[in-house]
């Protein structure tokens, strides 16, 4: 049966474009400020620099984690997804768009509130805010608003997708819109954990309404959210790889069905795996830790599917262009196109990044690396390279598409330079982190310290200097990309920048309907969550020690 | 749904590798007993010194147990009690630790001894210290301003070698 997806809509509706751009502006402001915080950290940790005006290292670290891990990612993803929905399944209605704007402002008020508390040194609790460290209640309220705002932003995306499905009964929905919907569903299910933690436990506690909290319960709820969070970051990058990068190459989508299968697998396996972040802690039985380790390994399978699809696309396209030999197709790829080069470098980074992740999740092997700077090196490869470079590659065409400008050859060239600088800086920084964390156990989240002159700690210093070198190169890349983004948003020549969207091959098989059946996959998701979490959480509550009072006088 | 032949091979190979990894981890854990800290004992964190064994922190030789030494340790912002641990080479030792306030880490750097200390819970880990040397113990979970100044030392000494040199 012939599949018919006709892209009647070629552009994002300008009104939706405004909403998308508002999100993207905040994302890049967060990148600049959060990146500056990162620069200060690596400089302090090199031992050559101290922070002025009584600013604390951990305050800067909190800023870095929140702005880059939570704010940059969530805003950029919302901007990209709103645009993707408008482009693939049509403009939002006025009401839907209004809900989106309320969500945007809700998130922004929350961000400003939480940031203010961090700047006032009332919330130096890092982005994981582990109790019983107790921040100011406004910090927790701010975070709640960010989560609620993000829910309001995904509502119109859901509504528009559902409306399209109703209007096109029996048709396969556009791949990108389907992927956006999966990611939004994942986000909603995941954030239920952190929303419960913050709204029902930490907020009343910080307000003094309850005296004590169950520390392990809050951590478990946090990581129920925390691991799915990383897939919420990763899936938009995969969206770009599956649906946008092929178009830039001039290729078709490799397999619509496999792409959907991998997203559904991500949906069901991203959430019931959070305990693999808690492998070295007391209060959770080894059996349940191990069960979640097994589930964690399942979530690797869709990434294997994705890796195959990507390289198959590249090779097929290269051969189509006449490349010969085993690896001749590699040369045919558009290396000078920043829209391709940056996501490609992101894909390459995910090979060591993913392998390192398998180590982290490997039950007893986690003891060797838990809370060492190896972990920091790991997620700077995954989120800060794979995801970040793909997002930048998307920004280079999405921003001009939304602002009615074009990516000029000069700006494209600066984009390429940014990507190369980023990859270089990250290679240096992340390698140093991986090596010194794995071989010598240097801790993460720690300021410069000689630990009483201990031999081991002295050996760490050269690696910390290497991190500062890499971090400085990264900051230069951030300055450059800020310049490119400002140009693309306000100064680049007016014109029509294409929203690249790959199509299916004319002869592609029809995708099995089961892959679009959210009811079936939703039931599996809920069943897996209930399976993986009911007994551990019941145990945690049942065997709880006396709760903890808060500590807000330690920083 | 069509799967290319190579893709089938790739997925079989990839998934097979993952299963092999899991089997190795499972045998290590459930056959050889190599687990991380899975202790489920609880304690009132505000009165830890009122309870055994935390009324007597330090290194203790024990008899009639599966291990030869117990290291009883209390963490609090920003120090460890005891501040230094000395053990003889090849001793089988059980680390028993807890915190009096916020979450701390307990990691002897460059070893597998690495666990979280959380208020209300006792963390335990049993191992054989089979390499001499001085190992820096660091707090690896952020606990406040003094976090990077919270450390102690694990000395593993060879009793015979010490006698020879003196």
């Amino acid at each position: 049966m012939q599949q018919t997806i006709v892209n009647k809509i070629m552009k994002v509706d300008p009104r939706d474009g405004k909403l998308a751009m508002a999100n993207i502006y905040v994302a890049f402001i967060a990148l600049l400020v959060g990146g500056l915080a990162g620069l200060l950290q690596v400089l302090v940790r090199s031992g050559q620099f101290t922070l002025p005006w009584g600013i604390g290292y951990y305050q800067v670290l909190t800023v870095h984690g929140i702005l880059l891990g939570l704010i940059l990612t969530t805003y950029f993803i919302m901007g990209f997804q709103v645009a993707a929905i408008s482009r693939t399944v049509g403009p939002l209605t006025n009401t839907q768009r209004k809900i989106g704007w309320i969500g945007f402002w809700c998130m922004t008020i929350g961000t400003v509130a939480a940031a203010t508390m961090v700047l006032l040194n009332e919330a130096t609790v890092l982005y994981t805010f582990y109790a019983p460290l107790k921040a100011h209640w406004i910090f927790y309220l701010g975070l709640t608003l960010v989560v609620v705002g993000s829910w309001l932003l995904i509502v119109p995306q859901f509504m528009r997708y559902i409306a399209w499905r109703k209007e096109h009964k029996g048709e396969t929905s556009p791949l990108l819109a389907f992927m956006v919907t999966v990611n939004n569903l994942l986000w909603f299910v995941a954030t239920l954990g952190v929303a419960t933690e913050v709204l029902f436990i930490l907020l009343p506690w910080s307000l003094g309404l309850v005296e004590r909290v169950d520390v392990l319960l809050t951590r478990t709820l946090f990581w129920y959210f925390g691991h799915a969070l990383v897939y919420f970051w990763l899936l938009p990058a995969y969206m770009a790889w599956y649906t946008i990068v092929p178009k830039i190459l001039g290729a078709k989508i490799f397999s619509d069905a496999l792409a959907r299968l991998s997203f559904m697998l991500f949906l069901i396996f991203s959430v019931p795996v959070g305990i693999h972040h808690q492998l070295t802690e007391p209060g959770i039985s080894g059996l349940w830790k191990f069960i979640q380790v097994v589930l964690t390994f399942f979530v690797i399978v869709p990434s294997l599917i994705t890796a195959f699809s990507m390289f198959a696309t590249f090779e097929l396209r290269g051969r189509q262009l006449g490349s010969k030999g085993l690896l001749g197709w590699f040369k045919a790829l558009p290396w000078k196109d920043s829209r391709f080069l940056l996501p490609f470098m992101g894909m390459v980074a995910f090979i060591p990044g993913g392998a390192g992740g398998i180590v982290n999740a490997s039950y007893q092997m986690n003891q060797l690396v838990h809370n060492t700077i190896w972990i920091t090196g790991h997620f700077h490869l995954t989120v800060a390279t794979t995801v970040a470079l793909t997002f930048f590659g998307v920004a280079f065409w999405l921003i001009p598409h939304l602002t009615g400008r074009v990516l000029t050859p000069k700006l494209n060239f600066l984009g390429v330079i940014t990507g190369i600088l980023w990859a270089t800086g990250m290679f240096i920084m992340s390698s140093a982190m991986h090596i010194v964390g794995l071989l010598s156990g240097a801790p993460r989240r720690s300021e410069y310290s000689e630990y009483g002159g201990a031999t081991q700690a002295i050996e760490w210093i050269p690696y910390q200097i290497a991190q500062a070198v890499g971090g400085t190169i990264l900051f230069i890349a951030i300055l450059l990309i800020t310049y490119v983004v400002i140009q693309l948003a306000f100064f680049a020549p007016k014109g029509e920048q294409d929203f690249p969207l790959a199509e299916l091959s004319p002869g592609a098989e029809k995708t099995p309907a089961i892959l679009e059946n959210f009811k079936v996959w939703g039931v599996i998701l809920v069943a897996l969550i209930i399976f993986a979490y009911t007994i551990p959480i019941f145990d945690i509550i049942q065997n709880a020690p006396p709760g903890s009072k808060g500590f807000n006088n330690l920083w | 749904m069509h799967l290319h032949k190579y893709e089938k091979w790739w997925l079989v190979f990839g998934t097979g590798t993952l299963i092999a990894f899991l089997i190795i981890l499972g045998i290590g854990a459930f056959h050889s007993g190599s687990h991380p800290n899975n202790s489920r004992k609880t304690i009132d964190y505000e009165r830890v010194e009122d309870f055994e064994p935390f009324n007597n922190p330090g290194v203790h030789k024990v008899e009639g147990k599966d291990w030869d030494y117990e290291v009883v340790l209390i963490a609090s912002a920003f120090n460890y009690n005891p501040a230094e641990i000395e053990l003889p080479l090849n001793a089988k030792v059980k680390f028993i630790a807890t915190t009096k306030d916020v979450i701390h880490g307990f990691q002897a750097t460059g070893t597998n001894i690495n666990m979280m200390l959380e208020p209300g819970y006792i963390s335990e880990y049993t191992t054989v210290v089979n390499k001499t040397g001085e190992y820096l113990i660091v707090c690896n979970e952020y606990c406040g301003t003094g976090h990077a100044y919270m450390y102690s030392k694990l000395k593993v000494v060879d009793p015979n070698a010490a006698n020879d040199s003196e």
Side-chain angles (χ1 to χ4, degrees):
Chain A
M1 205 174 140
Q2 180 100 16
Q3 177 125 7
T4 51
I5 291 183
V6 185
N7 290 304
K8 291 178 206 115
I9 320 143
M10 297 302 287
K11 279 194 63 129
V12 175
D13 184 279
R15 293 161 300 171
D16 298 336
K18 278 208 181 101
L19 177 58
M21 275 311 294
N23 281 281
I24 292 171
Y25 288 135
V26 179
F28 280 97
I29 294 168
L31 175 68
L32 185 63
V33 180
L36 178 64
L39 176 69
L40 294 176
Q41 275 162 250
V42 289
L43 292 179
V44 168
R45 216 177 168 178
S46 73
Q48 310 292 317
F49 175 81
T50 42
L51 291 167
W53 312 307
I55 301 170
Y57 175 86
Y58 300 105
Q59 208 178 347
V60 174
L61 184 54
T62 307
V63 171
H64 180 74
I66 290 180
L67 284 185
L68 298 188
L70 300 176
I71 302 304
L72 160 69
T73 48
T74 308
Y75 275 92
F76 188 86
I77 291 166
M78 289 305 151
F80 173 47
Q81 291 189 162
V82 165
I85 284 288
S86 181
R87 167 74 168 77
T88 53
V89 287
L92 303 178
T93 64
N94 288 337
T95 318
Q96 288 166 358
R97 199 175 301 112
K98 199 168 277 169
I99 299 172
W101 276 109
I102 296 171
F104 169 81
W105 284 111
C106 184
M107 265 171 63
T108 307
I109 291 166
T111 304
V112 170
T116 308
M117 288 301 116
V118 175
L119 293 177
L120 293 173
N121 204 21
E122 294 284 345
T124 303
V125 292
L126 310 191
Y127 89 97
T128 44
F129 47 86
Y130 293 141
L133 291 173
K134 186 164 79 172
H136 196 282
W137 63 269
I138 294 177
F139 174 78
Y140 299 115
L141 183 68
L143 294 179
T144 307
L145 289 174
V146 171
V147 171
V148 172
S150 73
W151 288 347
L152 292 173
L153 261 163
I154 65 176
V155 164
Q157 301 171 43
F158 276 134
M159 289 168 79
R160 186 55 221 144
Y161 178 76
I162 293 166
W164 190 96
R165 295 271 305 255
K166 284 200 180 122
E167 293 155 14
H168 299 77
K169 281 239 184 297
E171 286 181 47
T172 311
S173 63
L175 181 57
L176 182 54
F178 163 85
M179 291 173 154
V180 167
T181 306
V182 170
N183 200 36
N184 284 336
L185 195 57
L186 171 65
W187 177 246
F188 179 71
V189 174
T191 45
L192 287 175
V194 73
T196 308
E197 179 199 3
V198 174
L199 200 56
F200 296 112
I201 304 178
L202 298 181
L203 194 58
W205 175 61
S206 63
L207 282 165
L209 301 176
V210 290
E211 193 192 8
R212 290 167 188 271
V213 286
D214 184 333
V215 170
L216 188 56
L217 182 63
T218 57
R219 287 174 64 81
T220 307
L221 287 169
F222 182 85
W223 284 113
Y224 163 98
F225 155 77
H227 197 73
L229 170 70
V230 309
Y231 285 100
F232 169 73
W233 298 333
L234 188 64
L235 290 192
Y238 278 27
M239 292 176 204
W241 299 358
Y242 273 114
T243 68
I244 286 154
V245 168
K247 180 72 174 181
I248 294 167
L249 303 177
K252 302 285 182 193
I253 290 171
F254 176 70
S255 165
D256 181 85
L258 274 174
R260 284 179 212 253
L261 175 65
S262 76
F263 267 62
M264 283 306 196
L265 292 176
F266 277 122
L267 178 66
I268 61 174
F269 289 123
S270 291
V271 184
V273 297
I275 288 179
H276 78 242
H277 287 256
Q278 301 176 275
L279 293 174
T280 67
E281 64 193 78
I284 303 173
S285 85
L287 179 67
W288 285 99
K289 286 180 181 174
F290 198 84
I291 288 171
Q292 292 215 6
V293 166
V294 174
L295 288 168
T296 307
F297 274 56
F298 283 123
V299 82
I300 299 158
V301 175
S303 280
L304 294 176
I305 297 176
T306 306
F308 189 93
S309 301
M310 290 309 111
F311 284 89
T313 307
F314 300 156
E315 180 174 351
L316 290 174
R317 180 61 184 158
R319 294 200 188 282
Q320 222 175 25
L321 293 171
S323 307
K324 297 273 182 288
L326 190 61
L327 291 170
W329 51 271
F330 198 72
K331 281 189 223 140
L333 298 174
W335 297 112
K336 288 178 183 164
D337 189 335
S338 62
R339 301 170 307 160
F340 166 74
L341 179 68
L342 273 71
F344 180 84
M345 292 193 293
M347 290 177 202
V348 173
F350 205 62
I351 299 170
I358 297 177
V359 173
N360 303 342
S362 289
Y363 194 56
Q364 64 276 63
M365 215 188 285
N366 179 263
Q367 290 174 111
L368 193 58
V369 293
H370 180 74
N371 272 351
T372 69
I373 202 160
W374 156 283
I375 301 293
T376 317
H378 162 70
F379 63 73
H380 278 79
L381 276 186
T382 49
V383 63
T385 309
T386 302
V387 172
L389 282 180
T390 304
F391 286 3
F392 297 160
V394 167
F396 293 149
W397 55 262
L398 181 59
I399 295 174
H401 177 86
L402 297 176
T403 56
R405 297 177 189 275
V406 287
L407 176 65
T408 61
K410 184 187 151 221
L411 289 172
N412 175 60
F413 177 72
L414 288 178
V416 168
I417 299 294
T418 308
I420 292 169
L421 281 176
W422 191 278
T424 311
M426 202 58 92
F427 178 76
I428 297 170
M429 189 176 87
S430 172
S431 303
M433 288 172 165
H434 272 97
I435 294 169
V436 75
L438 180 67
L439 298 182
S440 189
R444 67 188 280 204
R445 297 183 148 180
S446 301
E447 69 174 311
Y448 181 75
S449 168
E450 292 174 7
Y451 293 96
T455 332
Q456 279 164 309
I458 303 303
E459 288 166 3
W460 298 340
I461 294 172
Y463 292 93
Q464 287 160 197
I465 291 173
Q467 289 160 27
V469 171
T472 307
I473 297 172
L474 282 164
F475 188 68
I476 295 168
I478 289 177
L479 292 179
L480 202 52
I481 199 170
T482 307
Y483 172 80
V484 173
V485 165
I486 292 172
Q487 287 292 318
L488 289 173
F490 304 107
F491 304 108
K494 295 263 180 198
E496 294 256 327
Q497 179 75 39
D498 183 36
F499 186 127
L501 193 59
E503 291 165 22
L504 296 179
S505 320
E509 290 176 58
K510 176 149 173 71
T511 300
I514 181 79
L515 291 175
E516 282 214 297
N517 191 330
F518 281 92
K519 278 190 197 121
V520 170
W521 296 91
V523 167
I524 300 173
L525 167 67
V526 172
L528 278 173
I529 292 172
I530 291 174
F531 164 68
Y533 270 108
T534 307
I535 295 178
I537 289 196
F538 182 78
D539 268 0
I540 288 168
I541 295 171
Q542 183 89 343
N543 300 328
S548 277
K549 289 181 183 170
F551 291 82
N552 58 4
N553 55 351
L554 292 175
W555 65 82
Chain B
M1 193 174 66
H2 172 72
L3 273 183
H4 189 278
K5 183 175 66 180
Y6 290 158
E7 172 134 36
K8 276 184 202 151
W9 293 356
W10 164 248
L11 287 178
V12 167
F13 168 76
T15 314
T17 312
L18 294 175
I19 292 170
F21 286 175
L22 282 173
I23 290 171
I24 294 167
L25 296 178
I27 291 173
F30 299 105
H31 182 263
S32 311
S34 168
H35 291 277
N37 160 36
N38 285 335
S39 163
R40 298 172 70 200
K41 293 176 189 155
T42 57
I43 191 169
D44 182 345
Y45 80 94
E46 288 173 306
R47 298 170 43 225
V48 294
E49 278 127 338
D50 294 350
F51 303 100
E52 293 257 351
F54 298 102
N55 52 2
N56 186 15
V59 181
H60 308 297
K61 177 116 181 66
V62 293
E63 303 289 339
K65 295 187 179 174
D66 283 346
W67 47 89
D68 316 315
Y69 285 85
E70 283 179 357
V71 173
V72 177
L73 181 132
I74 301 173
S76 58
F78 302 105
N79 56 64
Y80 293 106
N81 178 19
E84 198 175 296
I85 299 162
E86 189 173 313
L87 290 166
L89 182 65
N90 293 324
K92 189 169 187 187
V93 51
K94 183 170 191 173
F95 292 89
I96 306 167
T98 194
T99 164
K100 282 181 4 180
D101 41 48
V102 293
I103 298 171
H104 297 285
F106 178 80
Q107 180 196 10
T109 59
T111 76
N112 286 339
I113 303 162
N114 187 358
M115 51 193 188
M116 303 287 296
L117 311 181
E118 296 179 12
Y121 291 90
I122 299 169
S123 290
E124 295 180 333
Y125 185 64
T126 308
T127 191
V128 176
V129 286
N130 56 5
K131 223 173 128 190
T132 53
E134 279 193 15
Y135 300 91
L136 173 63
I137 291 172
V138 296
C139 174
N140 63 11
E141 185 57 81
Y142 168 68
C143 56
T145 313
H147 166 56
Y149 303 96
M150 179 166 170
Y151 56 87
S152 93
K153 200 182 281 177
L154 167 65
K155 282 187 187 169
V156 180
V157 293
D158 184 344
N160 302 322
N163 289 341
D164 291 346
S165 64
E166 276 166 24

